[in-house]
Amino acid sequence: MPERMLKFTRVVQEMPDKRPANERVDDFGEIYREYAVEKAQLQAARCSQCGIPFCQIHCPLHNNIPDWLKLTAEDRLQEAYELSAATNTFPEICGRICPQDRLCEGNCVIEKGFEAVTIGSVEKYITDTALQRGWVKPPRPLREREQSIGIVGAGPGGLAAADVLRRYGYQVHVYDRYDRVGGLLVYGIPNFKLEKEIVATRQRLLKEGGVTFHLEFEVGRDASLAELRRRHAAILIATGVYVGRDAALPGAGLDNIVMAMTYLTASNRKGLGDEVPEFDNGNLNAAGKHVIVIGGGDTAMDCVRTAVRQGAKTVKCLYRRDRANMPGSFREVQHAEEEGVDFVWLSAPKAYLGNGRIEGVRVQRMRLGMPDASGRQSPEPIQGRDLTLPCDLAIKALGFDPEDVAALFGTPELALTSWGTIEIDFKTKMTNLDGVFAAGDIVRGASLVVWAIRDGRDAAEEMHKYVQARLAAETTPLARAS
Ligand code: FAD
Ligand code: SF4
Ligand code: SF4
């Protein structure tokens, strides 16, 4: 039965059912079940249909949230899907993994007196249903265009751009050095947050729509950027950031101290059925180990929760600030705590201890001092309060930096920022190289999937304008005469 809106005073916030922690730590399946139809409608109907919807303003894609909530409540799900898909290329992915508590839901105005509308869960429900019922179609253009576009990187940024450009009718070629499509959606983010089949479904749709994928193709090794520029009318670079940050500490050379992406990639590959010798020989497997994860962001949360599922003896997370100052999503911290992770707040590693292999971590206790330029309180060491924690596997999740893409691509003239990210024109999304655009983490630095989608869509629109302007210039009488 269709629901009326503004139910927030009478209907309490309810997320889809969450599997109990003791059950979910035994596998890598997603932790939330799907909403039943009635519950989705009722939760959507909590929305107060704000005149100025702050949820929409704070969604990087400016999704038309109030309208698709209303359509869901009214049992007009196909229209809700059409509206949601008009601004978001992968709503079922964002509904699962956006940090909603910092974006749309964190800015839902009814949160002030009542808990926020469960926007992400409804968004996921709408598109999961659309996929099941066959409403999601491959990107089929109205007419084909001769010009081809090269996209380097099959992460969410590159894929969102591929979808838009294919709908315009371009011959779209996506190059990626991995053997699978999805970038961090597949090899970074664990299955319990995003099941890999969801990404594979999107790959199938893009392929059916005519997008060509060139996998295990590394630009810089298999072709230079200059060669790709000769092949295509325009190029998009969406290669992400992959160089893990590190801290030089005594004992850093011991075995079993690993970078977060090495650890997560091995776990994701194992889950996908690949042979992973370093996992099988125990080096990248937390089973039976005392695990310490260093860092407080979402990558650290993915590592601790993966270690729990692999059967670690203990899992501790060291973070130098306190809970209130963690960069990670509050929801993720809560999931981790429920699953048995021990957070050692206000603590930082001082040295790795061991003999050949790590056996412990010497930990420096911290306190929060005066706020720094960013307004966050800076951690300061407390002398004489060090402690030693046992550790057989230390995982470093301290953030990511870009590779030197200019050197990698054999294009030293490509302009980079002082952080090593690619510099683009704010309006045209183009780099300093004519016809070469960039999007996603390689422009922003490590960010979010939803921002990569936004950037990919925006860059695709600008690439279309660029190619059409070039064509128009080539076909003017003056150009033909010259
Ligand atoms: P990527 O997803 O990194 O894709 C880049 C692609 O380019 C890769 O497939 C790579 O193989 C390819 N590539 C790189 N160099 C070359 C080359 N030379 N030639 C060919 N191909 C190349 N965000 C969220 O919103 N929610 C989360 O829960 C979340 N969890 C995360 C967990 C982890 C562990 C990590 C590391 C990140 C997480 N993020 C999360 C961030 C999010 O995954 C990224 O912001 C997003 O994937 C960036 O998209 P992208 O397309 O720019 O790059
Ligand atoms: Fe919220 Fe992300 Fe969906 Fe936007 S894309 S509505 S921020 S979950
Ligand atoms: Fe609805 Fe909340 Fe958005 Fe207002 S801010 S339109 S109540 S979801």
Side-chain angles (χ1 to χ4, degrees):
M1 235 238 315
E3 296 285 347
R4 291 225 174 131
M5 303 305 286
L6 276 89
K7 287 227 161 93
F8 64 94
T9 53
R10 279 170 290 142
V11 176
V12 293
Q13 184 201 58
E14 264 189 86
M15 293 290 286
D17 291 338
K18 189 156 70 159
R19 297 164 62 209
N22 62 348
E23 177 194 312
R24 63 186 199 239
V25 295
D26 286 340
D27 62 57
F28 280 77
E30 283 184 9
I31 70 167
Y32 284 108
R33 299 198 171 97
E34 194 70 90
Y35 269 144
V37 182
E38 299 75 26
K39 196 159 156 186
Q41 288 181 1
L42 200 59
Q43 287 298 309
R46 293 182 69 241
C47 169
S48 68
Q49 299 285 284
C50 304
I52 301 174
F54 282 97
C55 56
Q56 182 169 7
I57 294 167
H58 289 270
C59 164
L61 293 159
H62 302 313
N63 283 339
N64 192 342
I65 299 164
D67 283 1
W68 49 248
L69 287 172
K70 187 161 184 285
L71 289 167
T72 306
E74 290 173 350
D75 198 19
R76 294 162 63 186
L77 215 52
Q78 189 159 4
E79 290 162 87
Y81 163 68
E82 301 291 347
L83 198 60
S84 153
T87 50
N88 191 352
T89 320
F90 308 123
E92 74 287 12
I93 296 179
C94 292
R96 282 174 167 84
I97 60 168
C98 268
Q100 286 102 8
D101 48 349
R102 285 188 268 150
L103 300 170
C104 53
E105 293 178 19
N107 290 281
C108 171
V109 291
I110 66 164
E111 201 189 13
K112 303 299 162 236
F114 302 87
E115 286 193 288
V117 177
T118 53
I119 300 168
S121 302
V122 176
E123 188 180 29
K124 162 180 178 279
Y125 165 79
I126 294 169
T127 310
D128 282 354
T129 310
L131 283 159
Q132 281 159 19
R133 299 198 188 165
W135 302 335
V136 185
K137 303 284 182 219
R140 294 218 191 278
L142 290 176
R143 72 174 176 98
E144 292 291 342
R145 296 176 197 266
E146 274 173 35
Q147 300 77 30
S148 77
I149 306 280
I151 296 178
V152 190
L159 295 181
D163 182 84
V164 173
L165 288 160
R166 185 63 198 128
R167 285 174 202 275
Y168 276 122
Y170 293 103
Q171 309 310 306
V172 178
H173 291 258
V174 181
Y175 301 88
D176 201 291
R177 64 179 165 199
Y178 278 146
D179 52 349
R180 289 186 177 90
V181 164
L184 289 174
L185 299 177
V186 168
Y187 288 126
I189 298 172
N191 216 58
F192 51 80
K193 276 166 59 180
L194 176 67
E195 287 178 1
K196 305 304 165 208
E197 185 49 33
I198 291 156
V199 186
T201 300
R202 284 293 175 177
Q203 177 184 4
R204 273 196 296 278
L205 285 163
L206 286 166
K207 243 176 132 173
E208 275 177 45
V211 172
T212 308
F213 290 100
H214 306 261
L215 298 181
E216 298 185 80
F217 187 111
E218 180 169 326
V219 178
R221 182 193 65 191
D222 300 307
S224 65
L225 185 59
E227 283 169 60
L228 288 194
R229 289 176 80 190
R230 285 193 288 277
R231 266 184 225 176
H232 301 291
I235 299 283
L236 178 71
I237 305 175
T239 48
V241 290
Y242 284 85
V243 181
R245 290 196 193 129
D246 209 346
L249 294 178
L254 294 169
D255 284 349
N256 282 17
I257 303 173
V258 301
M259 301 304 273
M261 261 310 280
T262 311
Y263 174 68
L264 291 173
T265 304
S267 174
N268 279 316
R269 279 198 178 281
K270 200 67 200 164
L272 285 158
D274 292 356
E275 287 217 349
V276 187
E278 279 204 284
F279 182 93
D280 297 334
N281 70 17
N283 285 349
L284 293 176
N285 183 353
K289 295 194 172 117
H290 293 291
V291 177
I292 292 188
V293 175
I294 301 156
D298 285 337
T299 302
M301 294 311 101
D302 290 347
C303 292
V304 289
R305 297 179 67 202
T306 297
V308 168
R309 282 162 176 76
Q310 288 176 349
K313 220 183 266 170
T314 60
V315 183
K316 289 191 166 32
C317 179
L318 297 192
Y319 182 55
R320 62 202 179 116
R321 291 187 164 93
D322 60 4
R323 186 195 186 92
N325 286 287
M326 266 192 110
S329 157
F330 177 69
R331 244 180 230 171
E332 293 302 309
V333 178
Q334 212 177 359
H335 296 325
E337 281 181 330
E338 288 166 4
E339 290 166 9
V341 174
D342 181 10
F343 285 86
V344 191
W345 306 113
L346 293 164
S347 57
K350 199 170 176 184
Y352 302 111
L353 313 172
N355 185 10
R357 218 165 231 266
I358 187 164
E359 288 164 13
V361 177
R362 187 109 194 109
V363 176
Q364 164 95 69
R365 300 312 304 247
M366 316 290 283
R367 68 170 153 246
L368 290 180
M370 297 300 286
D372 61 16
S374 70
R376 289 174 85 199
Q377 284 179 281
S378 323
E380 294 167 356
I382 307 176
Q383 301 308 331
R385 294 262 319 270
D386 293 1
L387 63 142
T388 300
L389 297 174
C391 176
D392 312 301
L393 176 63
I395 304 169
K396 296 180 278 189
L398 299 164
F400 298 94
D401 287 317
E403 289 166 85
D404 183 350
V405 272
L408 182 75
F409 290 169
T411 324
E413 64 276 22
L414 178 66
L416 304 179
T417 67
S418 50
W419 292 283
T421 48
I422 295 181
E423 191 176 301
I424 57 168
D425 180 292
F426 179 69
K427 276 198 194 134
T428 65
K429 317 295 173 197
M430 194 153 79
T431 67
N432 65 323
L433 305 181
D434 188 44
V436 179
F437 297 74
D441 280 4
I442 192 59
V443 173
R444 288 181 183 272
S447 178
L448 293 173
V449 168
V450 65
W451 278 115
I453 296 172
R454 164 77 193 271
D455 290 350
R457 290 172 67 99
D458 287 353
E461 295 295 345
E462 295 302 324
M463 291 168 83
H464 172 56
K465 281 189 216 160
Y466 167 86
V467 174
Q468 292 312 305
R470 286 293 292 260
L471 277 176
E474 280 165 19
T475 50
T476 56
L478 197 61
R480 276 204 305 269
S482 62

